Amino acid sequence: SRVIYAESGNQVLEGKMGVGIVVLNRVNDKSGVWPDSIKGVIAQRNQFSTYKGGKLANRTPNAESVVAAKLVLDGGMVKEVKNAFFFDTFRNNSWAARNKSVIAAIGGHRFYG
């Protein structure tokens, strides 16, 4: 819930869930590209800057971020981001924006497969 809040706390519920889905997609991916734990995924080098900067430890997630995390952990899905492994904001010229295809846009985020 903390990473959801830090990355998308001001987004609609589906956008918050999308961030959680990206994290779990990485955890569950069998390619060997991503760590196999939530902490491993969010701590992976060059991925979630909110973790590296120490901002997660001091964040108290809002209620909807907690709900989004619980929904995703219980198998909740936003079908548009079902296969997403990356996300960014529309203002961000991220690696994903330059190298991956947008599969969905929800609120202020783009999601990539």
Side-chain angles (χ1 to χ4, degrees), residues 42-71:
I42 63 174
Q44 191 174 24
R45 187 171 182 245
N46 297 325
Q47 297 304 309
F48 292 88
S49 60
T50 54
Y51 181 86
K52 182 180 178 189
K55 294 178 183 176
L56 284 183
N58 299 321
R59 295 266 173 118
T60 301
N62 60 19
E64 194 168 68
S65 296
V66 174
V67 168
K70 287 180 180 181
L71 287 169

PDB file of all heavy atoms in Angstrom, residues 42-71:
ATOM      1  N   ILE A  42      10.286  -3.690  -5.633  1.00  0.00           N
ATOM      2  CA  ILE A  42      10.300  -2.237  -5.407  1.00  0.00           C
ATOM      3  C   ILE A  42      11.695  -1.730  -5.037  1.00  0.00           C
ATOM      4  O   ILE A  42      11.994  -0.560  -5.241  1.00  0.00           O
ATOM      5  CB  ILE A  42       9.240  -1.779  -4.385  1.00  0.00           C
ATOM      6  CG1 ILE A  42       9.492  -2.363  -3.006  1.00  0.00           C
ATOM      7  CG2 ILE A  42       7.848  -2.107  -4.883  1.00  0.00           C
ATOM      8  CD1 ILE A  42       8.553  -1.832  -1.937  1.00  0.00           C
ATOM      9  N   ALA A  43      12.566  -2.618  -4.552  1.00  0.00           N
ATOM     10  CA  ALA A  43      13.934  -2.218  -4.208  1.00  0.00           C
ATOM     11  C   ALA A  43      14.906  -2.400  -5.373  1.00  0.00           C
ATOM     12  O   ALA A  43      16.058  -1.984  -5.282  1.00  0.00           O
ATOM     13  CB  ALA A  43      14.423  -3.037  -3.008  1.00  0.00           C
ATOM     14  N   GLN A  44      14.445  -2.983  -6.480  1.00  0.00           N
ATOM     15  CA  GLN A  44      15.337  -3.254  -7.605  1.00  0.00           C
ATOM     16  C   GLN A  44      15.922  -1.947  -8.146  1.00  0.00           C
ATOM     17  O   GLN A  44      15.230  -0.935  -8.255  1.00  0.00           O
ATOM     18  CB  GLN A  44      14.589  -4.003  -8.707  1.00  0.00           C
ATOM     19  CG  GLN A  44      15.504  -4.538  -9.769  1.00  0.00           C
ATOM     20  CD  GLN A  44      14.758  -5.402 -10.787  1.00  0.00           C
ATOM     21  OE1 GLN A  44      13.559  -5.259 -10.978  1.00  0.00           O
ATOM     22  NE2 GLN A  44      15.485  -6.287 -11.427  1.00  0.00           N
ATOM     23  N   ARG A  45      17.177  -1.993  -8.478  1.00  0.00           N
ATOM     24  CA  ARG A  45      17.912  -0.827  -8.966  1.00  0.00           C
ATOM     25  C   ARG A  45      17.194  -0.174 -10.160  1.00  0.00           C
ATOM     26  O   ARG A  45      16.723  -0.853 -11.055  1.00  0.00           O
ATOM     27  CB  ARG A  45      19.315  -1.262  -9.374  1.00  0.00           C
ATOM     28  CG  ARG A  45      20.212  -0.126  -9.724  1.00  0.00           C
ATOM     29  CD  ARG A  45      21.628  -0.635  -9.902  1.00  0.00           C
ATOM     30  NE  ARG A  45      22.497   0.460 -10.190  1.00  0.00           N
ATOM     31  CZ  ARG A  45      23.130   0.606 -11.346  1.00  0.00           C
ATOM     32  NH1 ARG A  45      23.010  -0.299 -12.288  1.00  0.00           N
ATOM     33  NH2 ARG A  45      23.900   1.652 -11.534  1.00  0.00           N
ATOM     34  N   ASN A  46      17.142   1.140 -10.116  1.00  0.00           N
ATOM     35  CA  ASN A  46      16.570   1.966 -11.190  1.00  0.00           C
ATOM     36  C   ASN A  46      15.079   1.736 -11.437  1.00  0.00           C
ATOM     37  O   ASN A  46      14.600   1.965 -12.541  1.00  0.00           O
ATOM     38  CB  ASN A  46      17.327   1.768 -12.494  1.00  0.00           C
ATOM     39  CG  ASN A  46      18.763   2.214 -12.392  1.00  0.00           C
ATOM     40  OD1 ASN A  46      19.066   3.182 -11.694  1.00  0.00           O
ATOM     41  ND2 ASN A  46      19.649   1.511 -13.051  1.00  0.00           N
ATOM     42  N   GLN A  47      14.347   1.297 -10.449  1.00  0.00           N
ATOM     43  CA  GLN A  47      12.926   1.052 -10.653  1.00  0.00           C
ATOM     44  C   GLN A  47      12.063   2.033  -9.867  1.00  0.00           C
ATOM     45  O   GLN A  47      11.602   2.994 -10.418  1.00  0.00           O
ATOM     46  CB  GLN A  47      12.574  -0.403 -10.336  1.00  0.00           C
ATOM     47  CG  GLN A  47      13.262  -1.395 -11.260  1.00  0.00           C
ATOM     48  CD  GLN A  47      12.973  -1.118 -12.722  1.00  0.00           C
ATOM     49  OE1 GLN A  47      11.836  -0.979 -13.127  1.00  0.00           O
ATOM     50  NE2 GLN A  47      14.017  -1.008 -13.524  1.00  0.00           N
ATOM     51  N   PHE A  48      11.841   1.822  -8.603  1.00  0.00           N
ATOM     52  CA  PHE A  48      10.954   2.674  -7.819  1.00  0.00           C
ATOM     53  C   PHE A  48      11.779   3.672  -7.019  1.00  0.00           C
ATOM     54  O   PHE A  48      12.301   3.351  -5.959  1.00  0.00           O
ATOM     55  CB  PHE A  48      10.070   1.822  -6.905  1.00  0.00           C
ATOM     56  CG  PHE A  48       9.077   0.994  -7.664  1.00  0.00           C
ATOM     57  CD1 PHE A  48       9.409  -0.271  -8.126  1.00  0.00           C
ATOM     58  CD2 PHE A  48       7.817   1.492  -7.929  1.00  0.00           C
ATOM     59  CE1 PHE A  48       8.502  -1.030  -8.845  1.00  0.00           C
ATOM     60  CE2 PHE A  48       6.893   0.748  -8.655  1.00  0.00           C
ATOM     61  CZ  PHE A  48       7.239  -0.513  -9.110  1.00  0.00           C
ATOM     62  N   SER A  49      11.882   4.890  -7.528  1.00  0.00           N
ATOM     63  CA  SER A  49      12.724   5.901  -6.883  1.00  0.00           C
ATOM     64  C   SER A  49      12.231   6.237  -5.477  1.00  0.00           C
ATOM     65  O   SER A  49      13.015   6.640  -4.629  1.00  0.00           O
ATOM     66  CB  SER A  49      12.783   7.166  -7.733  1.00  0.00           C
ATOM     67  OG  SER A  49      11.492   7.707  -7.913  1.00  0.00           O
ATOM     68  N   THR A  50      10.943   6.056  -5.223  1.00  0.00           N
ATOM     69  CA  THR A  50      10.422   6.333  -3.882  1.00  0.00           C
ATOM     70  C   THR A  50      11.017   5.380  -2.851  1.00  0.00           C
ATOM     71  O   THR A  50      11.157   5.735  -1.690  1.00  0.00           O
ATOM     72  CB  THR A  50       8.890   6.239  -3.856  1.00  0.00           C
ATOM     73  OG1 THR A  50       8.487   4.977  -4.378  1.00  0.00           O
ATOM     74  CG2 THR A  50       8.265   7.358  -4.660  1.00  0.00           C
ATOM     75  N   TYR A  51      11.363   4.163  -3.267  1.00  0.00           N
ATOM     76  CA  TYR A  51      12.000   3.216  -2.343  1.00  0.00           C
ATOM     77  C   TYR A  51      13.448   3.621  -2.100  1.00  0.00           C
ATOM     78  O   TYR A  51      13.893   3.742  -0.974  1.00  0.00           O
ATOM     79  CB  TYR A  51      11.944   1.792  -2.888  1.00  0.00           C
ATOM     80  CG  TYR A  51      12.576   0.794  -1.938  1.00  0.00           C
ATOM     81  CD1 TYR A  51      11.820   0.232  -0.921  1.00  0.00           C
ATOM     82  CD2 TYR A  51      13.913   0.433  -2.035  1.00  0.00           C
ATOM     83  CE1 TYR A  51      12.377  -0.666  -0.017  1.00  0.00           C
ATOM     84  CE2 TYR A  51      14.482  -0.457  -1.141  1.00  0.00           C
ATOM     85  CZ  TYR A  51      13.714  -1.001  -0.147  1.00  0.00           C
ATOM     86  OH  TYR A  51      14.274  -1.879   0.749  1.00  0.00           O
ATOM     87  N   LYS A  52      14.180   3.849  -3.163  1.00  0.00           N
ATOM     88  CA  LYS A  52      15.601   4.192  -3.047  1.00  0.00           C
ATOM     89  C   LYS A  52      15.786   5.467  -2.232  1.00  0.00           C
ATOM     90  O   LYS A  52      16.711   5.570  -1.448  1.00  0.00           O
ATOM     91  CB  LYS A  52      16.218   4.360  -4.429  1.00  0.00           C
ATOM     92  CG  LYS A  52      17.691   4.668  -4.363  1.00  0.00           C
ATOM     93  CD  LYS A  52      18.295   4.834  -5.724  1.00  0.00           C
ATOM     94  CE  LYS A  52      19.768   5.184  -5.580  1.00  0.00           C
ATOM     95  NZ  LYS A  52      20.360   5.568  -6.832  1.00  0.00           N
ATOM     96  N   GLY A  53      14.921   6.427  -2.425  1.00  0.00           N
ATOM     97  CA  GLY A  53      15.038   7.690  -1.713  1.00  0.00           C
ATOM     98  C   GLY A  53      14.602   7.623  -0.263  1.00  0.00           C
ATOM     99  O   GLY A  53      14.697   8.609   0.456  1.00  0.00           O
ATOM    100  N   GLY A  54      14.112   6.467   0.186  1.00  0.00           N
ATOM    101  CA  GLY A  54      13.690   6.310   1.568  1.00  0.00           C
ATOM    102  C   GLY A  54      12.311   6.882   1.870  1.00  0.00           C
ATOM    103  O   GLY A  54      11.882   6.910   3.022  1.00  0.00           O
ATOM    104  N   LYS A  55      11.622   7.333   0.842  1.00  0.00           N
ATOM    105  CA  LYS A  55      10.321   7.969   1.051  1.00  0.00           C
ATOM    106  C   LYS A  55       9.233   6.986   1.464  1.00  0.00           C
ATOM    107  O   LYS A  55       8.264   7.373   2.097  1.00  0.00           O
ATOM    108  CB  LYS A  55       9.884   8.706  -0.208  1.00  0.00           C
ATOM    109  CG  LYS A  55      10.769   9.880  -0.543  1.00  0.00           C
ATOM    110  CD  LYS A  55      10.321  10.534  -1.830  1.00  0.00           C
ATOM    111  CE  LYS A  55      11.248  11.655  -2.218  1.00  0.00           C
ATOM    112  NZ  LYS A  55      10.873  12.242  -3.507  1.00  0.00           N
ATOM    113  N   LEU A  56       9.380   5.717   1.112  1.00  0.00           N
ATOM    114  CA  LEU A  56       8.328   4.744   1.445  1.00  0.00           C
ATOM    115  C   LEU A  56       8.224   4.504   2.941  1.00  0.00           C
ATOM    116  O   LEU A  56       7.126   4.392   3.477  1.00  0.00           O
ATOM    117  CB  LEU A  56       8.576   3.412   0.749  1.00  0.00           C
ATOM    118  CG  LEU A  56       8.248   3.344  -0.724  1.00  0.00           C
ATOM    119  CD1 LEU A  56       8.480   1.935  -1.239  1.00  0.00           C
ATOM    120  CD2 LEU A  56       6.835   3.759  -0.994  1.00  0.00           C
ATOM    121  N   ALA A  57       9.355   4.399   3.600  1.00  0.00           N
ATOM    122  CA  ALA A  57       9.356   4.062   5.023  1.00  0.00           C
ATOM    123  C   ALA A  57       8.607   5.096   5.853  1.00  0.00           C
ATOM    124  O   ALA A  57       8.043   4.769   6.895  1.00  0.00           O
ATOM    125  CB  ALA A  57      10.786   3.924   5.524  1.00  0.00           C
ATOM    126  N   ASN A  58       8.590   6.331   5.390  1.00  0.00           N
ATOM    127  CA  ASN A  58       7.968   7.414   6.162  1.00  0.00           C
ATOM    128  C   ASN A  58       6.586   7.798   5.650  1.00  0.00           C
ATOM    129  O   ASN A  58       6.035   8.793   6.082  1.00  0.00           O
ATOM    130  CB  ASN A  58       8.882   8.640   6.150  1.00  0.00           C
ATOM    131  CG  ASN A  58      10.209   8.348   6.787  1.00  0.00           C
ATOM    132  OD1 ASN A  58      10.283   7.636   7.781  1.00  0.00           O
ATOM    133  ND2 ASN A  58      11.275   8.872   6.211  1.00  0.00           N
ATOM    134  N   ARG A  59       6.035   7.018   4.739  1.00  0.00           N
ATOM    135  CA  ARG A  59       4.726   7.329   4.178  1.00  0.00           C
ATOM    136  C   ARG A  59       3.635   6.541   4.890  1.00  0.00           C
ATOM    137  O   ARG A  59       3.799   5.363   5.175  1.00  0.00           O
ATOM    138  CB  ARG A  59       4.669   6.960   2.696  1.00  0.00           C
ATOM    139  CG  ARG A  59       5.583   7.747   1.816  1.00  0.00           C
ATOM    140  CD  ARG A  59       4.836   8.937   1.221  1.00  0.00           C
ATOM    141  NE  ARG A  59       5.737   9.799   0.513  1.00  0.00           N
ATOM    142  CZ  ARG A  59       5.658  10.055  -0.775  1.00  0.00           C
ATOM    143  NH1 ARG A  59       4.744   9.483  -1.505  1.00  0.00           N
ATOM    144  NH2 ARG A  59       6.492  10.895  -1.330  1.00  0.00           N
ATOM    145  N   THR A  60       2.548   7.202   5.149  1.00  0.00           N
ATOM    146  CA  THR A  60       1.356   6.533   5.644  1.00  0.00           C
ATOM    147  C   THR A  60       0.348   6.550   4.498  1.00  0.00           C
ATOM    148  O   THR A  60      -0.119   7.620   4.109  1.00  0.00           O
ATOM    149  CB  THR A  60       0.781   7.251   6.877  1.00  0.00           C
ATOM    150  OG1 THR A  60       1.782   7.268   7.888  1.00  0.00           O
ATOM    151  CG2 THR A  60      -0.460   6.532   7.384  1.00  0.00           C
ATOM    152  N   PRO A  61       0.045   5.391   3.938  1.00  0.00           N
ATOM    153  CA  PRO A  61      -0.849   5.364   2.776  1.00  0.00           C
ATOM    154  C   PRO A  61      -2.256   5.818   3.128  1.00  0.00           C
ATOM    155  O   PRO A  61      -2.729   5.601   4.242  1.00  0.00           O
ATOM    156  CB  PRO A  61      -0.834   3.898   2.351  1.00  0.00           C
ATOM    157  CG  PRO A  61      -0.347   3.137   3.517  1.00  0.00           C
ATOM    158  CD  PRO A  61       0.494   4.062   4.339  1.00  0.00           C
ATOM    159  N   ASN A  62      -2.901   6.455   2.155  1.00  0.00           N
ATOM    160  CA  ASN A  62      -4.291   6.833   2.374  1.00  0.00           C
ATOM    161  C   ASN A  62      -5.172   5.587   2.286  1.00  0.00           C
ATOM    162  O   ASN A  62      -4.725   4.523   1.856  1.00  0.00           O
ATOM    163  CB  ASN A  62      -4.734   7.937   1.402  1.00  0.00           C
ATOM    164  CG  ASN A  62      -4.634   7.549  -0.051  1.00  0.00           C
ATOM    165  OD1 ASN A  62      -4.565   6.373  -0.404  1.00  0.00           O
ATOM    166  ND2 ASN A  62      -4.637   8.544  -0.921  1.00  0.00           N
ATOM    167  N   ALA A  63      -6.389   5.721   2.705  1.00  0.00           N
ATOM    168  CA  ALA A  63      -7.298   4.576   2.795  1.00  0.00           C
ATOM    169  C   ALA A  63      -7.503   3.898   1.448  1.00  0.00           C
ATOM    170  O   ALA A  63      -7.513   2.668   1.358  1.00  0.00           O
ATOM    171  CB  ALA A  63      -8.640   5.007   3.379  1.00  0.00           C
ATOM    172  N   GLU A  64      -7.634   4.677   0.368  1.00  0.00           N
ATOM    173  CA  GLU A  64      -7.885   4.077  -0.938  1.00  0.00           C
ATOM    174  C   GLU A  64      -6.654   3.313  -1.443  1.00  0.00           C
ATOM    175  O   GLU A  64      -6.798   2.318  -2.157  1.00  0.00           O
ATOM    176  CB  GLU A  64      -8.321   5.127  -1.951  1.00  0.00           C
ATOM    177  CG  GLU A  64      -8.911   4.486  -3.191  1.00  0.00           C
ATOM    178  CD  GLU A  64      -9.620   5.468  -4.092  1.00  0.00           C
ATOM    179  OE1 GLU A  64      -8.937   6.329  -4.684  1.00  0.00           O
ATOM    180  OE2 GLU A  64     -10.856   5.368  -4.197  1.00  0.00           O
ATOM    181  N   SER A  65      -5.446   3.735  -1.076  1.00  0.00           N
ATOM    182  CA  SER A  65      -4.242   2.988  -1.449  1.00  0.00           C
ATOM    183  C   SER A  65      -4.202   1.642  -0.738  1.00  0.00           C
ATOM    184  O   SER A  65      -3.774   0.638  -1.313  1.00  0.00           O
ATOM    185  CB  SER A  65      -2.988   3.800  -1.128  1.00  0.00           C
ATOM    186  OG  SER A  65      -2.946   4.973  -1.914  1.00  0.00           O
ATOM    187  N   VAL A  66      -4.657   1.612   0.503  1.00  0.00           N
ATOM    188  CA  VAL A  66      -4.744   0.346   1.247  1.00  0.00           C
ATOM    189  C   VAL A  66      -5.786  -0.564   0.589  1.00  0.00           C
ATOM    190  O   VAL A  66      -5.540  -1.758   0.389  1.00  0.00           O
ATOM    191  CB  VAL A  66      -5.073   0.601   2.739  1.00  0.00           C
ATOM    192  CG1 VAL A  66      -5.315  -0.705   3.470  1.00  0.00           C
ATOM    193  CG2 VAL A  66      -3.946   1.384   3.403  1.00  0.00           C
ATOM    194  N   VAL A  67      -6.922   0.005   0.234  1.00  0.00           N
ATOM    195  CA  VAL A  67      -7.966  -0.774  -0.453  1.00  0.00           C
ATOM    196  C   VAL A  67      -7.428  -1.326  -1.766  1.00  0.00           C
ATOM    197  O   VAL A  67      -7.611  -2.506  -2.085  1.00  0.00           O
ATOM    198  CB  VAL A  67      -9.232   0.086  -0.689  1.00  0.00           C
ATOM    199  CG1 VAL A  67     -10.198  -0.597  -1.642  1.00  0.00           C
ATOM    200  CG2 VAL A  67      -9.917   0.398   0.636  1.00  0.00           C
ATOM    201  N   ALA A  68      -6.732  -0.488  -2.544  1.00  0.00           N
ATOM    202  CA  ALA A  68      -6.181  -0.932  -3.831  1.00  0.00           C
ATOM    203  C   ALA A  68      -5.206  -2.089  -3.630  1.00  0.00           C
ATOM    204  O   ALA A  68      -5.251  -3.088  -4.360  1.00  0.00           O
ATOM    205  CB  ALA A  68      -5.488   0.231  -4.535  1.00  0.00           C
ATOM    206  N   ALA A  69      -4.345  -1.988  -2.630  1.00  0.00           N
ATOM    207  CA  ALA A  69      -3.379  -3.057  -2.357  1.00  0.00           C
ATOM    208  C   ALA A  69      -4.096  -4.352  -1.990  1.00  0.00           C
ATOM    209  O   ALA A  69      -3.755  -5.428  -2.494  1.00  0.00           O
ATOM    210  CB  ALA A  69      -2.424  -2.636  -1.240  1.00  0.00           C
ATOM    211  N   LYS A  70      -5.087  -4.248  -1.125  1.00  0.00           N
ATOM    212  CA  LYS A  70      -5.834  -5.446  -0.719  1.00  0.00           C
ATOM    213  C   LYS A  70      -6.555  -6.075  -1.905  1.00  0.00           C
ATOM    214  O   LYS A  70      -6.549  -7.296  -2.066  1.00  0.00           O
ATOM    215  CB  LYS A  70      -6.819  -5.107   0.399  1.00  0.00           C
ATOM    216  CG  LYS A  70      -6.141  -4.854   1.730  1.00  0.00           C
ATOM    217  CD  LYS A  70      -7.136  -4.516   2.815  1.00  0.00           C
ATOM    218  CE  LYS A  70      -6.430  -4.278   4.137  1.00  0.00           C
ATOM    219  NZ  LYS A  70      -7.367  -3.971   5.213  1.00  0.00           N
ATOM    220  N   LEU A  71      -7.162  -5.250  -2.734  1.00  0.00           N
ATOM    221  CA  LEU A  71      -7.863  -5.776  -3.912  1.00  0.00           C
ATOM    222  C   LEU A  71      -6.902  -6.529  -4.829  1.00  0.00           C
ATOM    223  O   LEU A  71      -7.196  -7.637  -5.275  1.00  0.00           O
ATOM    224  CB  LEU A  71      -8.547  -4.643  -4.683  1.00  0.00           C
ATOM    225  CG  LEU A  71      -9.797  -4.059  -4.038  1.00  0.00           C
ATOM    226  CD1 LEU A  71     -10.221  -2.776  -4.756  1.00  0.00           C
ATOM    227  CD2 LEU A  71     -10.932  -5.074  -4.026  1.00  0.00           C
TER     228      LEU A  71
END
